[in-house]
Structure formats: structure tokens, C-alpha cells
Amino acid sequence: MKAGIVGLPNVGKSTLFNCLSNAKAQSANFPFCTIEPNIGVVNVPDTRLESLESLVAPEKVIPATVEIVDIAGLVKGASKGEGLGNQFLGNIRETDAILHVLRCFDNDNIVHVDGSVDPIRDKETIDMELQLKDLESVEKKLDKVKRAAKTGNKEAQKEEAVLLQLKEGLETGTSVRAISLKDEDRNEYVQPLQLITDKPVMYVCNVDEGAAAAGNEYVEKVKTAVAQENAEVIFLAVGTEADITELETYEERQLFLEDMGLSEPGSAKLIRGAYQLLDLETYFTAGPKEVRAWTIPVGATAPQAAGVIHTDFEKGFIRAEVISFADYMKYQSETKVKEAGKMRIEGKEYIVQDGDVMHFRFNV
């Protein structure tokens, strides 16, 4: 599952990517510094993993991860191929969620592609290019469906009505995710189109160090502008966070964060947010060899969760032995959990809960 970082050139995307992944993508003070998308696999910060490690004392600890893709800056006209637009839009289409970086700080030394700082205008520029690309996809599909609808095909007529609703919304500047549709229509007719503006989005407001703890008026404007979108908004001082990652010791980094009025890096909040945006959750396995966080889609059944470890686990699934994270912490060991009667035996229908500690029984 991938989350793609998008935004206008020079708003801090590659600096953010470096900060998240330590992959050191090239970043500089001019547009189109990033041409090919950079991909980083980022650990998901999770204090529960540290708690389990302290109780189990395993040989190794393996966190959950999420893939972050740094996509080059979009410009006005991208939907028509301007500024390598087709390539960029193709890269965005391959992601599962969007992290839209907006410049929310003033600094005369950092050029803005449009000459002034205005995150709402920047958001609308990107939105329009993504909406135009989606409109192109919807119109292509609509041409095919209309021909079938004219023959009296009821299913085609139903699909045509949904596509016309999408077309009208996109033409008036509404992203697909904000168009009101029935869930069944969205699942059946919209999802297969893989429209860019249907992807879940988080707006990442890049602020200066002084606004790192409380935000600023730009951030408030963004929150107001996206209120109807069912989107998340977070803010962080990307440049300052990048400086913090360069510090050698954990203690130095913590002191720097405390001086800024923060309890943890904003990047940690962003990674967890991206994980949730992708509709993912975590279960754990815990033993002397390793404590490990496993990533599953929200709503996964026990056999599907077992299949993340190995396909044979899913095929030969017998049962799952499940301890809630809260019970593990309360009783401090697997043995004591069992003695208290708090280990549950769950079958194939069980929906795994975020934080479950699990053992699987299976045969091949």
C-alpha cells in the first residue's frame, strides 16, 4: 500500500520525504528537482511495540511499514501534459492515498512557483489538474456506457446516471471523494475507474518553526477550505523536522522537540495518519524470537490476517489464539493471561481488532 506525496514544485515535498524515510531524495530551491518518483519504506511509530518488547525481551523487533512515494511537483496544465504532467499523473494514479503538501510559511529566500504564498490557490491548482484528468477518464467510460444504455440495458442506464453525476461534479470543481453517492454505486461503478480525486487525502501544511506547535492562519484557512471533503489536515515544520533527523542522539532530538513545544516529531503523526488513511491496522505476534507488527486492512478476518504471514497459514487455518493488547499489558505475560482466562479462541469468521496479539494454528 502506497501513499504518494504531491504538491506544487518547491513546497517541501522532497524534504518531507527525506525526513520520513531518510532516503535522501534530492531537494533544492528550484522547480522539477524531482523527476522520477522516489520510494521509501517507512516504519510506523507504535509505542505498543515497545511495550511488548519490554515484556517479551525478543531477539528482534520488526515494526509495521508503509510505502511513501515522492512524486514530482505538478504545475498548471499537467492534465494536458505540461511540465511532464502525464508522467506525474500516472505516478499518482498508482498510489492508494495522497499526502498533499501545501506551503503555509513566508520566506522570501524560497521561491514560489506562482510568486506568492497562498495555500488555497495552490490546493485549487493541483485539484483542478487532478479533476481534469479524472474528467477525461469519466468521459471515455461514459461514451462506451451510453451506447449500451441506448439499447435499453438497465444496468448500463444505472451506470450512465452515476457517471453523469461524476461528470457534473468534476466540471464544477468537486473532487470525486466529495461527490455524494450511494455506497453500492461507489463500489460498483466508481472504484473500478481508479480516479485520482477519489483517493483518500491528507493535507500536510508545511509551516515554519514558530508555528510547529500551534499552526498559523494559513493552516486555519486550509481547514476551512477542506471542511466538506472528508479529508485530514495536519501541520508540521518540514525544514525543522529535517534538521532534527540530522541530530546524532535521541536525547538531542527530544530536547529540540521540547524547545518547539512538541512531545514527538510531526513526521511520526503524519506516518500514523497515512497508515490510517490507507485503511490499515496492526496486529502483533510476540515470542522469544521476535515481536512483530503485521499490517492488515481494517475488517480483515483471522484467516486473512494469518495469510499476511504466509499463504499456507490462510489455506490451512484452524483457529487463532487471541489476546487483546490491553489484557497483555494488564497481566504482563502470555502465561498469566491464560491463567486469567483472557486468551480467546477465535475461528474463521473473527474480525481482527487493531492491537490483537495472535498465534495461529493451521495444517497444510
Side-chain angles (χ1 to χ4, degrees), residues 10-307:
N10 237 21
V11 295
K13 297 184 312 302
S14 294
T15 306
L16 175 62
F17 176 80
N18 289 338
C19 185
L20 294 176
S21 67
N22 293 324
K24 303 301 175 208
Q26 189 186 7
S27 62
N29 186 17
F30 57 89
F32 300 119
C33 182
T34 306
I35 303 298
E36 291 298 327
N38 297 294
I39 298 176
V41 179
V42 181
N43 291 344
V44 178
D46 195 330
T47 54
R48 296 174 300 183
L49 205 56
E50 294 157 24
S51 300
L52 286 170
E53 180 186 10
S54 68
L55 293 179
V56 179
E59 290 173 21
K60 58 182 176 179
V61 177
I62 303 173
T65 59
V66 65
E67 235 174 59
I68 303 287
V69 186
D70 176 24
I71 294 164
L74 280 174
V75 293
K76 204 172 280 186
S79 57
K80 295 182 175 64
E82 293 291 327
L84 306 177
N86 289 330
Q87 182 183 335
F88 299 167
L89 289 162
N91 292 334
I92 296 168
R93 197 182 292 284
E94 289 168 17
T95 65
D96 302 290
I98 293 172
L99 307 176
H100 186 160
V101 181
L102 296 167
R103 176 171 168 175
C104 292
F105 65 89
D106 296 303
N107 186 332
D108 293 340
N109 295 321
I110 298 177
V111 296
H112 189 290
V113 72
D114 286 329
S116 63
V117 177
D118 183 344
I120 308 307
R121 177 203 59 209
D122 295 354
K123 171 196 171 317
E124 287 168 354
T125 298
I126 297 279
D127 282 353
M128 187 174 71
E129 295 308 321
L130 301 184
Q131 287 160 6
L132 287 170
K133 197 66 183 173
D134 279 351
L135 185 58
E136 192 182 295
S137 302
V138 168
E139 286 175 336
K140 270 186 195 169
K141 182 69 174 174
L142 194 52
D143 285 343
K144 290 179 187 172
V145 172
K146 272 182 173 173
R147 288 194 288 273
K150 278 179 184 170
T151 67
N153 182 315
K154 292 278 190 288
E155 190 60 31
Q157 288 171 352
K158 196 175 170 188
E159 185 171 6
E160 181 186 23
V162 174
L163 292 170
L164 285 168
Q165 198 176 340
L166 292 181
K167 183 174 185 285
E168 186 184 332
L170 288 163
E171 284 174 340
T172 56
T174 305
S175 292
V176 173
R177 74 181 77 84
I179 296 172
S180 181
L181 293 166
K182 292 177 184 170
D183 285 347
E184 58 263 33
D185 289 343
R186 192 174 282 281
N187 293 338
E188 193 165 346
Y189 305 122
V190 182
Q191 279 187 1
L193 296 174
Q194 290 187 294
L195 299 173
I196 300 169
T197 66
D198 193 34
K199 296 179 190 293
V201 65
M202 177 193 290
Y203 293 98
V204 182
C205 298
N206 182 9
V207 299
D208 56 24
E209 186 176 334
N216 58 23
E217 61 181 19
Y218 290 133
V219 175
E220 294 310 310
K221 285 179 182 174
V222 172
K223 285 179 178 176
T224 302
V226 307
Q228 304 305 313
E229 268 194 58
N230 192 24
E232 283 189 65
V233 179
I234 72 163
F235 56 88
L236 66 158
V238 174
T240 308
E241 297 249 349
D243 292 341
I244 292 172
T245 62
E246 298 292 332
L247 296 173
E248 287 184 14
T249 68
Y250 173 79
E251 287 73 20
E252 284 178 302
R253 291 194 288 272
Q254 285 304 113
L255 280 172
F256 202 141
L257 286 168
E258 283 168 23
D259 286 344
M260 291 167 65
L262 299 173
S263 58
E264 66 170 353
S267 53
K269 190 166 59 173
L270 187 149
I271 295 164
R272 284 198 299 272
Y275 195 69
Q276 289 162 358
L277 199 64
L278 291 163
D279 214 19
L280 302 175
E281 63 184 11
T282 302
Y283 77 87
F284 302 101
T285 50
K289 288 253 183 246
E290 68 174 30
V291 164
R292 182 163 181 164
W294 298 90
T295 300
I296 53 170
V298 171
T301 61
Q304 288 167 337

